[in-house]
Amino acid sequence: MRSDLLAEWILSLVVDRERAASAVGDFLEDVPERGRRWFWFSIGKTAFARLGRSLMEAPFRMAGFAAFAWLVYMAMGFALGFAAWIAATLLWGMGYFLSHHTVMELVANLLRLRFDWPAPPVEWLRFVDCVVVWIAAPYQLGRWWARTARGREMVTWLYLAAIWPALMMWLPFADRYARASLTAAPLILMFVLAGMLRESWQGRSAEMARG
């Protein structure tokens, strides 16, 4: 992994990519004289300094973005949950049908157009809902938000981490078996961050490949 690519990606989480590339270029010019340790110290110092300034800029607007992201998360959760429920029901029914009938019974059921299609067990649906609400929906939200908030990924995530716990109490998002509650907040926010970082890294890598 090229160090300049990694450094640009780190800075691009807190500033726009043009400024990140310019700052890394300036630091690289002094590497032969000051060394790699100074280079990474400067990258970290610049990233934290910019992050601190960004946290103080337009706090009400950023809080509004965080609240809007919560609504998007709920919409994604419902959509993905519905799709996952359909898929889980179909997979469970197909598995039950194929595992509880002989070949002759399968032919007879097909000819009579009769199928045994039991409801999935509660434990199976609870597992699917937890995966959607706590992992899949937050991860996809993070990817979407990284494309929306280029250069502000980390500051927006910090606002999410500050605002979302309150929203989990005032506007709770609950499925039948899984709930976006305060106890689940660390896991949910971790997967939002994972989606953000993955999308940001992929976008930066693609730009460097095209360039």
Side-chain angles (χ1 to χ4, degrees):
M1 181 185 297
R2 289 171 46 188
S3 59
D4 57 336
L5 174 59
L6 179 59
E8 286 185 27
W9 173 65
I10 292 173
L11 290 183
S12 70
L13 296 174
V14 294
V15 298
D16 62 80
R17 292 178 177 177
E18 290 74 17
R19 293 177 64 183
S22 175
V24 171
D26 292 339
F27 291 142
L28 285 174
E29 291 179 356
D30 294 332
V31 166
E33 179 180 349
R34 300 190 177 187
R36 304 298 298 185
R37 183 176 299 179
W38 169 86
F39 171 78
W40 287 112
F41 175 80
S42 300
I43 293 295
K45 180 180 177 181
T46 302
F48 278 108
R50 181 56 195 173
L51 181 62
R53 287 195 295 270
S54 297
L55 285 171
M56 303 305 296
E57 294 174 357
F60 293 106
R61 184 180 66 179
M62 298 303 297
F65 285 160
F68 174 71
W70 176 253
L71 298 178
V72 175
Y73 164 63
M74 288 195 291
M76 284 185 173
F78 280 119
L80 292 174
F82 181 69
W85 177 82
I86 293 177
T89 302
L90 290 175
L91 289 173
W92 178 263
M94 291 175 62
Y96 179 89
F97 183 77
L98 295 174
S99 62
H100 286 73
H101 294 274
T102 65
V103 176
M104 294 302 296
E105 288 173 328
L106 287 174
V107 174
N109 287 335
L110 288 172
L111 293 177
R112 297 172 187 173
L113 299 178
R114 181 177 65 83
F115 296 91
D116 292 330
W117 206 273
V122 173
E123 293 77 10
W124 174 248
L125 293 178
R126 181 180 291 114
F127 171 77
V128 172
D129 285 341
C130 289
V131 170
V132 169
V133 175
W134 296 343
I135 299 176
Y139 184 79
Q140 292 301 322
L141 173 77
R143 296 191 63 188
W144 172 78
W145 199 249
R147 295 190 293 268
T148 304
R150 295 288 190 189
R152 302 192 310 274
E153 287 92 336
M154 287 308 302
V155 66
T156 55
W157 184 81
L158 289 175
Y159 270 95
L160 294 186
I163 299 297
W164 275 25
L167 294 177
M168 288 177 180
M169 294 186 293
W170 298 336
L171 296 173
F173 166 63
D175 212 330
R176 289 178 300 170
Y177 306 109
R179 184 180 180 89
S181 61
L182 288 177
T183 55
L187 180 65
I188 293 171
L189 290 167
M190 181 184 72
F191 277 98
V192 172
L193 179 61
M196 281 185 174
L197 295 179
R198 178 178 182 271
E199 186 65 27
S200 177
W201 175 256
Q202 284 188 332
R204 187 56 185 156
S205 299
E207 287 185 358
M208 292 293 292
R210 289 194 299 266

